[in-house]
Amino acid sequence: MKIKTNFLLIGLTAMLLTACSTSVERLDVAEQVDLSGAWNDTDSQLVAQEMIEDSLSRAWISNFHKEQGKSPAVIVGKVRNLSHEHINTNTFVADMERELINSGDVQFVASSGTREEIRAEREDQDLNASEATRKEMGQEYGADFMMQGQINTIIDVDGKTQVRFYQVNLEMVSLKDNRKVWVGQKKIKKLIKNSKLTY
């Protein structure tokens, strides 16, 4: 009887451990997965791609080519998160930077944080590097335009059903005279039905 009871206890313990275990499945990074309805990697990539494509197809870039005879230099500034949820805007900015650089239509200037680190390195070189390999101060390439914007949301909830509306506004501004040369907008609407809905 004792042996039977022990086997039963071992079996129950194994079942409990199996039920509480964590399951991990590796996914293709290109696969679209939306678990909670919140802003995710798919939203970030799709919005960045569509908005950069739109911005590069507008008149401001061809006008600059005609006037200056070269590609404009662009920098991505801040994208403010004005939504109700935590959104890592750094990944969204990185997605936009990748799309801009890989387009080949613009020259791209490093962000302010990156520039500070590089300037510190140049200062160090000024004191410690040989004359032949030292990089001089004052040779930076200035940006012609800055892209900046914001992410907004509107939430509509009824019981266990929720509609999340995202609106991303971006604009391209001339650093020379503060003219807005392009304004873009992308909207995303998601219907979420969940027995444990939170917002």
Side-chain angles (χ1 to χ4, degrees), residues 57-77:
S57 69
R58 301 300 179 170
W60 70 274
I61 192 165
S62 57
N63 290 342
F64 187 89
H65 276 291
K66 288 174 189 173
E67 293 168 10
Q68 303 293 328
K70 61 179 182 178
S71 297
V74 176
I75 184 171
V76 176

Side-chain angles (χ1 to χ4, degrees), residues 58 123 137 176:
R58 301 300 179 170
E123 281 184 41
M137 292 288 205
K176 180 181 178 181

Side-chain angles (χ1 to χ4, degrees), residues 51-118:
M51 294 192 83
I52 296 304
E53 282 179 8
D54 181 71
S55 72
L56 296 177
S57 69
R58 301 300 179 170
W60 70 274
I61 192 165
S62 57
N63 290 342
F64 187 89
H65 276 291
K66 288 174 189 173
E67 293 168 10
Q68 303 293 328
K70 61 179 182 178
S71 297
V74 176
I75 184 171
V76 176
K78 288 185 179 177
V79 175
R80 291 180 295 159
N81 175 20
L82 302 180
S83 75
H84 72 287
E85 65 187 67
H86 171 72
I87 294 177
N88 185 347
T89 57
N90 292 333
T91 58
F92 180 54
V93 167
D95 286 334
M96 289 194 297
E97 289 178 344
R98 185 189 67 248
E99 294 296 327
L100 281 167
I101 292 168
N102 292 343
S103 73
D105 294 327
V106 299
Q107 299 178 70
F108 197 82
V109 178
S111 67
S112 57
T114 303
R115 291 197 309 270
E116 288 301 319
E117 187 175 359
I118 292 170

